[in-house]
Amino acid sequence: MSKLPTKGDILEWIAANPTLTAKRDIAKAFGIKGAARIDLKRLLKELEHEGHLEKRKKTYRDPDRLPPVSVLQVKEPTPDGDLFAQPLEWHGEGVEPIVLIIPRASDPALGEGDRILARLQVVHEEDHNYEARLIRRIGANPRRVVGIFKKTSEGGRIQSIDKGSDKEWMVAADAMGGAKDGELVEAEQAGPAGRMGLLRARITERLGDPSAPRAVSLIAIHQHGIPDSFPDAVIAEADAMKPAGLSGREDLRDMPLITIDPADARDHDDACYAHADDDPKNEGGHVIWVAIADVAHYVTPGSALDIEARKRGNSSYFPDRVVPMLPDRLSGDLCSLHEGVPRACIAVRMQVDAKGKKIGHRFVRGLMKSPASLNYQEVQAAMDGDPNDKVAPLVSEVIRPLYAAYAALVKARNERQPLNLDLPERKIVLAEDGTVKSVDFAERLDAHKLIEEFMVLANVAAAETLIAKRTPLLFRVHEEPPPEKLDSLRETADAAGLTLAKGQVLKTAHLNRLLNAAAGTEEAELINLATLRSMTQAYYNPANFGHFGLALQSYAHFTSPIRRYADLIVHRALIKAHGWGDDGLSPEDIERLENTAQHISDTERRSMMAERDTTDRYLASFLSDRVGAEFGGRISGIARFGVFVKLDETGADGLIPIRSLGNEYFHFDADAATLMGADTGTMITLGQRVTVKLIDAAAVTGGIGLELLTLEDAKLPGGSGKGRMGRGSRPKGKGGPKRKPAKAKKKDAKTKRKVTRQRRNG
C-alpha cells in the first residue's frame, strides 16, 4: 500500500495488532517508505493530540481499554438472538467497544437492562471486539450449595456435603441440568421453599463422581469450613464501588510499572520498575519501585467487605479453583493492576547501592497504569535473548534494568544468608475434564527470584517505616528452631556423614553450610526435608520477634492485600502513618490487633491443610490406575505405625504399614526417628533409598499404601519384606547400608523397659 492510510485505518491496525505498535511497524504494515514516513509521523501526532492514541516510549496504543473483569449492561437481543452489552466502565474518547455475551448452558437467562459482572476477552471479529462470559448478575447473589444429587419422581434432591449438615434442596425436572443420580453437583437457589419446605435449587455445574478429581477441591473446601460464598451485603458493597481517581494521589501513570505473574494469573496485585540511580552519591546503585494495589481504598474498616475479608483471612488456592478473600469485582477488577487500565496503588521507591543494600525509601499513594502484564516465562525468555513481540519493546528500558537491580540484591542476599532450602515446588496440571494430566515440578527462573527479592525488600521497607513512625502493625514472625528439633536435625546430619555444629548461637548461615555440604549428593533431599521440618511455623503478631528464615530483624507482609488480610492491615497502617486519608487503621483495628493476628494465622493453616488434602487426593487419583507398579523413593517419615515414603516421580507421600516390614519386632525410637529390627538389627532411618510397590491409592481419602521391596538397593530377608528376618542378619545388597544409622539417645533403665515393640499383625 503506497498511499498514506487514513486515521481510521491506523486506529484499526493498532486495535488488531496490539504488539506491533511502533512507528516502524505501522509504516511496514502500510508500505510507507522514504519521505512518506514524515507524513505518517504527522498523522500519529494528530491522533495523539486528539486523544485517540497515547505515545509510551516508542510505541502507540489505545489510551484506554476495558479491564478483563468489567461491569456490563445487557442490550436488547438482536433478531438473530445475539446478546450484546454496553461496557459501563468505558472512559475512552474513541468508539465505544462492542461486547458480545457468550452464554453457557448453565447461565441464567439475561434480559435487556440487566447489569452483569463478566470476564472479557479481546477478539477481532467484524461485529464485535470483546467477548464476555458471565460471572454473575450485579445485585444477584443466590445461595449456593455443593452436594450429592439424588433423582426422585418429581425431579431430584441435593444432599449438602457441608460438615454436620443434613439439609436437602429440591430440584425441579427442568432445573436438573442433565445431572445423574449420585453425581456431585453445584447448584444455586432458584426460588422459595417448595411444598415440603425444602429450598428450590437449579443445578449450575455437574462435577461427576464424588471421588473424581474435579470434586476433590470442593470437598476439601467444605470439610475444612472455608467460606466459599459471599453474603449479599458484601456483594452489594463491592458492586457499588467505582474506580479511584487521581485526587490525593501521586500520578505514576507514565512510569512503566509492569506486572510479572504466572501465565494463568487472573489478578495482579504487584508491579515493579527499576532504573539506574542518577544520584552521584550512589554510583552504581539502583532505584526500585514496587507498586501494590490499594485495596484499603475499597475495603474500609468495619465495612461488610472488611468483616468478610477478616473472616476469611486469606485466599485459598487449589489446582482447579481459587476461593478468594475478596469478591470478583475487587479481586479481578478494581484491585487488579491490569494492563492499560488506571489503578489505585500504594508504591514504595527504594534506593539500593551497588551491593544491593537499601539506603533509603519512601512510600506514596498513587495512580498507575501498567503498560504490560507479563508472565515469568516470557520475561525470562526475553532476558535470555528470545523476546516475543509483546516483550521486545520493553527489553532495553524495562526488563534489563530490573535484572540489573536484581543482580545487586543478590549480592546483599548472599551476605545476609537467608535460609536457602532447595525443595522443588510440585505442580498438578489438570486436563480440561478435571483429571490429572501430569505432576510437574515448577521451574525456578531468575524472573521468579527477581520478583521475590523485590517483594522482600518492599516488605522490609513497610515494617521499618511503621516502626519509625510508631504505628501499630502486624509483623510476619518466624522464630528460630527449638533445641529439640535442632538435636533431631543434628542426628540426621550425623547419620548422613555431615555435621551441624553445636554450642553457638544458631544462624541461617550455619544451616546453609549444612545444605551446601549436602548439595549434589544422595543426601541432599533428606537434609533439605529435615531442615524444613526443624523450622517453626511462621505466624502474625503485633510484637516483632524477627524473621529467622529470611535473616531479617523486621518484616511485615505488604505486597499481597488482595489475598491476605495481614497486608491490608499493613496498608491501613501506612495510610494512618502518612495521613493519607480517613481509611487508615481504625481504633478498633488497633484494639483487636492481637486477636486478628491469631485468627489469620489460624485461617492460613486452615487453607494450607485444605490445599494439602486436595493435593493428596489428586495424587492418589493420578496413581490409582498404576496399582501394582514399582516406584523409587526415599523415606521421609517414621512413626510408630509405619514408614512414610516420598515417591521420586510425583513427590506423593505413601505409607508402608509396620506390619509389612518383616516377621519380627521393631523398636521405635521417636527421638532418633528410627525403627530397628529386634531379631536382625535392620535399621530403618530417614532418607534411605527404597523401592516400593503401590498396593492402594484411594482418591476419596488421598491415602496411598505401599509395600517395601528394597532398602538401600537390598531386599529384606524373606523377600519383599514378608519373610521373617533371621537373627543377626542385615541387608547387604550393594555394599549394605550407605549411611551409618542415627545414634539413639542414651536411656535410663526405666525408659528402656518402655521401648515400644511393634508386632506383625496375624
Side-chain angles (χ1 to χ4, degrees), residues 426 616 619 623 634-637 641-647 650-657 690 692-694 696 702-707:
R426 183 173 52 190
D616 289 346
L619 288 172
L623 293 170
R634 192 179 287 276
I635 294 175
S636 58
F641 50 83
V643 175
F644 290 96
V645 173
K646 184 175 288 293
L647 303 181
T650 61
D653 288 299
L655 174 68
I656 304 172
V690 295
V692 294
K693 179 190 288 186
L694 179 64
D696 181 44
I704 295 174
L706 305 172
E707 178 184 318

Side-chain angles (χ1 to χ4, degrees), residues 82-161:
D82 289 334
L83 272 183
F84 288 90
Q86 177 188 4
L88 297 183
E89 295 182 68
W90 171 248
H91 304 296
E93 297 179 7
V95 178
E96 183 179 273
I98 301 173
V99 182
L100 175 66
I101 299 172
I102 307 296
R104 292 171 291 234
S106 60
D107 286 348
L110 297 175
E112 182 182 5
D114 282 344
R115 292 174 70 235
I116 64 172
L117 190 67
R119 191 169 298 282
L120 303 185
Q121 180 177 354
V122 177
V123 297
H124 303 294
E125 302 293 340
E126 289 186 4
D127 60 348
H128 62 282
N129 41 16
Y130 285 91
E131 290 183 351
R133 296 277 186 176
L134 176 71
I135 295 175
R136 59 176 172 80
R137 279 197 189 100
I138 295 292
N141 184 37
R143 292 178 62 187
R144 293 188 175 272
V145 63
V146 176
I148 306 297
F149 176 69
K150 299 292 184 183
K151 275 195 172 182
T152 66
S153 58
E154 297 179 349
R157 295 186 185 183
I158 298 171
Q159 174 65 55
S160 172
I161 64 168

Side-chain angles (χ1 to χ4, degrees), residues 538-552:
Y539 62 97
Y540 296 104
N541 201 297
N544 184 15
F545 300 122
H547 198 294
F548 175 79
L550 291 175
L552 292 169

Side-chain angles (χ1 to χ4, degrees), residues 659-663 707-709 716-723 725 760:
R659 64 178 179 271
S660 69
L661 287 177
N663 193 16
E707 178 184 318
L708 182 64
L709 300 180
L716 295 182
S720 300
K722 290 185 176 180
M725 295 186 182
R760 183 173 183 267

Side-chain angles (χ1 to χ4, degrees), residues 350-369:
M350 299 172 287
Q351 279 182 289
V352 299
D353 62 21
K355 295 182 178 179
K357 182 181 178 182
K358 182 168 65 64
I359 58 175
H361 69 268
R362 67 179 177 90
F363 283 87
V364 300
R365 203 172 195 183
L367 188 72
M368 60 164 285
K369 190 197 302 191

